[in-house]
Each structure stands twice: as structure tokens, then as C-alpha cells.
Amino acid sequence: AATKGQDKALRKGFFDSKGSKPKPKTVVSKADIITLTGKQVEPGRGGPAIPDFLRVEPDEREKRMLEVKSKLASALQPTPDMIQAIQSNQELVRGFDDPEVMAAVEDITRNPDNMKKYKGNRKVEAFYKAMAGMAGQRLSSLSETQPAELGPGGQRHPR
């Protein structure tokens, strides 16, 4: 049983109120809408841009790795000397002319784990061995011509 005070509250309360006036609908213009955009993606780099407020600055180790990655990529850019060396390497020429090897290279480029599929394939393994040898020679020749720099802890690291 409801008490006298509760009974009175129910009679005058929530269920029998007349309600509030309807609120006018607000019109939002395109100028009022805030759009979050990221920086423009550099040409040649895929993927969506990351808005500034979501960016996480890399720590020193990550910065160093990005620098090394950039230097490595620029060191392995094809030069006329490298093209000539590739053309004089018969194993590489055969690989570039072989559709099976080029299909394997494309597959491995999409997903490096796919290298497992080609274990035991002599043509693909020979091609990659020749390419690795070519890249190794290029990096060795660059390390001989460029001075070493001191890295963390004063250790010498090749540039």
C-alpha cells in the first residue's frame, strides 16, 4: 500500500505530466562540421594518412631503424653499374626471363612468408641467391667507400 505522500506523488508525477515543448530542430551547415584529416601521403607510399593527433613519435631506437632502412633503400636503388652487373650475371638473366621465377618473386613480394612454398625450387633459390650476392656486393662496396660512424655506446657502425 502506498503512503499518502507517495500516492500524491504518483498522481502529480511523471505519468500525467503534459510534457515539454518540442525542441526546434537545429540545422547544421557543412561549415560547422569538423573534419579530421591527416597529412598528405607522400607519393609512392601507400596506405591512409594518419591524423596528427593519432601519431606516435618513434623513440630513438625506432628513429635509428627508420634511418637505416632509408639508407639501405637508397643504397640499393638501381644504378647503371648495377644494371650492367645484373645483365652480366647469367643466373639473374635466366631468372628474369623465366615466368615461373618471376611469378614466385611476385608471390614472395606480396607475402614474404610465401618463401617457404619455394623451398627446394632450384630456379627460385638460385635467383634469390644471386640477387642476395649482388646486394651484398653493393653494400660491401659502399661500406668501403663511406666512413663508419659511431653508434650507441661508441661502437662503430657502417653507414
Side-chain angles (χ1 to χ4, degrees):
T3 64
K4 202 175 201 182
Q6 290 173 333
D7 190 35
K8 195 176 190 183
L10 287 175
R11 276 185 274 153
K12 290 179 147 182
F14 178 78
F15 294 109
D16 55 354
S17 69
K18 293 187 180 192
S20 61
K21 295 180 185 176
K23 294 181 181 179
K25 290 188 177 183
T26 56
V27 178
V28 179
S29 69
K30 285 190 177 188
D32 294 334
I33 297 174
I34 298 172
T35 306
L36 301 176
T37 59
K39 292 183 179 178
Q40 290 293 325
V41 177
E42 295 175 23
R45 296 190 67 175
I50 299 172
D52 287 338
F53 72 94
L54 289 176
R55 288 186 189 276
V56 177
E57 289 299 318
D59 62 12
E60 288 302 315
R61 182 174 178 223
E62 290 171 331
K63 285 180 184 177
R64 179 72 182 149
M65 289 301 294
L66 290 171
E67 183 182 326
V68 168
K69 183 179 176 182
S70 173
K71 286 181 179 181
L72 182 61
S74 67
L76 293 175
Q77 288 292 321
T79 62
D81 293 342
M82 287 178 69
I83 302 291
Q84 186 177 9
I86 289 171
Q87 290 172 342
S88 65
N89 184 321
Q90 291 304 309
E91 196 61 51
L92 289 175
V93 171
R94 277 194 296 273
F96 281 116
D97 288 339
D98 189 332
E100 178 187 357
V101 172
M102 288 295 98
V105 168
E106 187 176 332
D107 187 30
I108 293 165
T109 301
R110 282 193 207 118
N111 182 0
D113 288 338
N114 289 344
M115 185 69 165
K116 296 172 190 171
K117 287 189 213 177
Y118 302 99
K119 187 176 182 179
N121 184 324
R122 290 184 184 170
K123 293 190 289 186
V124 174
E125 287 179 349
F127 178 78
Y128 272 100
K129 184 176 179 180
M131 284 299 285
M134 183 77 57
Q137 287 174 350
R138 172 76 174 147
L139 294 175
S140 290
S141 69
L142 286 175
S143 70
E144 292 168 3
T145 60
Q146 294 182 358
E149 63 183 30
L150 292 179
Q155 297 174 354
R156 295 187 77 69
H157 294 281
R159 255 189 189 188

